[in-house]
Amino acid sequence: MIRTVQRLTENNTQHHLSQKDIKKMSRLLIKNHKQINIDVLKQYEIKKEDLATGVICPNCGNLPMKRAMRHWICLTCSNKNADAHIKAIYDYALLINPQIKNEELRSFLHLNSSTSMYKILRAMDLKPNGSRKAATYTIPLPK
């Protein structure tokens, strides 16, 4: 595959677009870019209850990890990680909904403490919309 790309690159050295046209096209692409929001669960006929939930260990891939003393600890390989929850939170946003309540995310991450969840959300610089139990957080979709 790499050889094919190299051969095509070597054989096709002629440029068909000027620098000005390339810049114009890139500005147009950026200006007209729209985020696609596909309901993945609906598209693939997956029930929310069928999803494997929890924080996945970045070392061995097992789940769920357990939260202890501001770290996630893998029950299989004993790996400790402070930020393992971030990928799981983005997965929730992409699969289920970017709008989340503390209680829903705690359930998804298998976390008992609402205070710990609040601190995690604040550390990700997610501000609550609403107050107390009614507060929802908007998870920005990763680029």
Side-chain angles (χ1 to χ4, degrees):
M1 177 71 179
I2 293 173
R3 289 185 187 144
T4 304
V5 172
Q6 287 174 337
R7 186 175 43 79
L8 288 170
T9 304
E10 290 168 2
N11 293 341
N12 295 304
T13 57
Q14 185 180 24
H15 297 285
H16 297 285
L17 294 173
S18 69
Q19 262 324 100
K20 183 180 176 183
D21 289 337
I22 292 171
K23 285 182 182 181
K24 186 176 179 182
M25 188 181 301
S26 67
R27 280 193 303 271
L28 187 64
L29 286 170
I30 291 169
K31 179 182 173 190
N32 291 309
H33 173 74
K34 290 179 179 58
Q35 187 74 31
I36 291 181
N37 294 326
I38 299 171
D39 188 342
V40 178
L41 299 182
K42 186 175 181 179
Q43 182 176 346
Y44 293 101
E45 299 177 4
I46 300 170
K47 295 176 187 165
K48 186 177 170 182
E49 304 81 42
D50 292 340
L51 292 176
T53 61
V55 176
I56 299 172
C57 176
N59 187 49
C60 70
N62 284 319
L63 79 146
M65 293 181 84
K66 185 152 182 72
R67 183 81 173 173
M69 304 290 277
R70 289 181 276 175
H71 285 86
W72 294 93
I73 300 171
C74 180
L75 302 174
T76 305
C77 71
S78 301
N79 180 49
K80 277 176 74 173
N81 189 303
D83 299 325
H85 59 275
I86 293 173
K87 184 176 181 322
I89 291 172
Y90 286 134
D91 287 346
Y92 184 95
L94 291 167
L95 289 171
I96 300 169
N97 190 353
Q99 309 294 324
I100 186 76
K101 287 186 173 189
N102 181 314
E103 184 180 9
E104 294 167 333
L105 196 50
R106 276 195 341 253
S107 174
F108 186 78
L109 298 180
H110 300 213
L111 185 62
N112 295 327
S113 170
S114 62
T115 305
S116 292
M117 190 72 258
Y118 175 77
K119 289 178 181 177
I120 286 171
L121 292 166
R122 294 297 290 184
M124 290 180 69
D125 203 26
L126 300 176
K127 310 265 187 299
N129 300 321
S131 62
R132 302 185 147 241
K133 282 191 171 190
T136 59
Y137 297 84
T138 301
I139 303 164
L141 298 177
K143 306 235 188 251

